[in-house]
Amino acid sequence: EDKKIFMNEINEKLYVKDFECKIKKKDGTPIDVLITAYAVKDDLGTIVQYDGMIKDITLRKQMEEEIRQQTKELKALCDLSSIINRTLDLDTALQASLEKVTEITGFDIGSIFLFNEEEGLLEMKYHVDQPASLVKEAKYFRCGEGVVGKALELKKTLISHIDEHPPKRIIPFLKAEGIQIIVGIPL
C-alpha cells in the first residue's frame, strides 16, 4: 500500500520528501524509513529513473513509542494518585489501581488477591474483565498454589504459561477465555 501511494506521489509531483513507511532489509527485517526522492526524465519527458535516499528511522520510532508509553504510564499514575488522594476507601482505591494497572500493562484481565493470614488463603477481592465463571473458580488460592500463591510464597514476580502453575481446576476456564500467560506480582 505504501509503495502504491509513494509511486503515485512521485509520478504526479516528480518528487517526494520525507515519505514515511516500512520496508524490509535484504535479510527480511522490517525497518521504518523516510524516503526523499525525485523522478529523472529523458529529453522526451519520460521518467527513466528515480534518484533519492532512504533514511533509517527505526530507532527514532522506537524511542517515540517508548515516550508515548511512558507518558501513558505517568498519566495513569497521576490519575491513580488523584483517586487515592480523594478517597480513604480502600475498596475504591484498590479497584481503581487495578483498572489503571491493566490499562498501563495492556493486560486483558486482572485481579487483586488479599492474603488472610489466619486462614492462609489468598482471596480475590477485585477484578477487571474476568468472566464470572473464572472469578468463581479462582476466588481462593493457598500460599504456593497457582501463580498468585507461588508469587506470594517466593516473594517475587512470576510470569508463567497456564500449564505450569495453575491448579487443574481453573485450566479449563483459562483455556476457554484464551488465556495463555499469567503474571503474579506480590505487593
Side-chain angles (χ1 to χ4, degrees), residues 115-123 140 142:
F115 185 59
N116 180 328
E117 290 184 53
E118 291 174 14
E119 296 181 27
L121 286 177
L122 284 155
E123 180 180 1
Y140 298 98
R142 297 208 172 279

Side-chain angles (χ1 to χ4, degrees), residues 22 26 32 35 40 44 58 62 68 78 84 96 100 106 110 114 119 134 145 150 154 163 166 170 186:
K22 281 193 178 295
K26 285 183 183 181
D32 293 294
I35 303 173
V40 177
L44 300 173
T58 305
Q62 289 170 345
R68 268 192 293 279
C78 182
I84 291 170
K100 286 297 174 187
L114 297 181
E119 296 181 27
L134 184 57
E145 179 186 32
K150 201 74 170 157
L154 298 174
D163 294 329
I170 68 166

Side-chain angles (χ1 to χ4, degrees), residues 34-57:
L34 286 179
I35 303 173
T36 297
Y38 62 94
V40 177
K41 293 184 174 185
D42 64 12
D43 294 337
L44 300 173
T46 305
I47 296 174
V48 291
Q49 72 184 43
Y50 302 98
D51 284 340
M53 63 182 202
I54 298 174
K55 181 177 181 181
D56 184 347
I57 59 167

Side-chain angles (χ1 to χ4, degrees), residues 17-150:
K17 184 173 183 347
D18 294 336
F19 182 84
E20 189 174 320
C21 63
K22 281 193 178 295
I23 62 173
K24 289 183 182 176
K25 292 170 41 175
K26 285 183 183 181
D27 67 2
T29 306
I31 59 172
D32 293 294
V33 298
L34 286 179
I35 303 173
T36 297
Y38 62 94
V40 177
K41 293 184 174 185
D42 64 12
D43 294 337
L44 300 173
T46 305
I47 296 174
V48 291
Q49 72 184 43
Y50 302 98
D51 284 340
M53 63 182 202
I54 298 174
K55 181 177 181 181
D56 184 347
I57 59 167
T58 305
L59 183 58
R60 184 186 89 189
K61 295 291 279 186
Q62 289 170 345
M63 292 172 81
E64 287 172 355
E65 183 54 37
E66 285 178 26
I67 290 170
R68 268 192 293 279
Q69 181 63 26
Q70 288 174 350
T71 301
K72 181 180 174 183
E73 291 170 7
L74 287 172
K75 182 187 179 317
L77 288 172
C78 182
D79 292 347
L80 185 56
S81 174
S82 175
I83 290 167
I84 291 170
N85 285 330
R86 281 184 288 165
T87 182
L88 295 176
D89 180 40
L90 183 63
D91 290 332
T92 302
L94 287 175
Q95 183 66 38
S97 299
L98 178 59
E99 290 168 5
K100 286 297 174 187
V101 167
T102 54
E103 179 186 320
I104 290 169
T105 60
F107 291 159
D108 296 326
I109 64 174
S111 54
I112 292 179
F113 289 79
L114 297 181
F115 185 59
N116 180 328
E117 290 184 53
E118 291 174 14
E119 296 181 27
L121 286 177
L122 284 155
E123 180 180 1
M124 184 189 304
K125 290 288 191 177
Y126 312 95
H127 60 86
V128 172
D129 294 332
Q130 289 196 22
S133 59
L134 184 57
V135 170
K136 182 180 175 187
E137 285 300 317
K139 183 81 172 159
Y140 298 98
F141 289 99
R142 297 208 172 279
C143 186
E145 179 186 32
V147 174
V148 174
K150 201 74 170 157

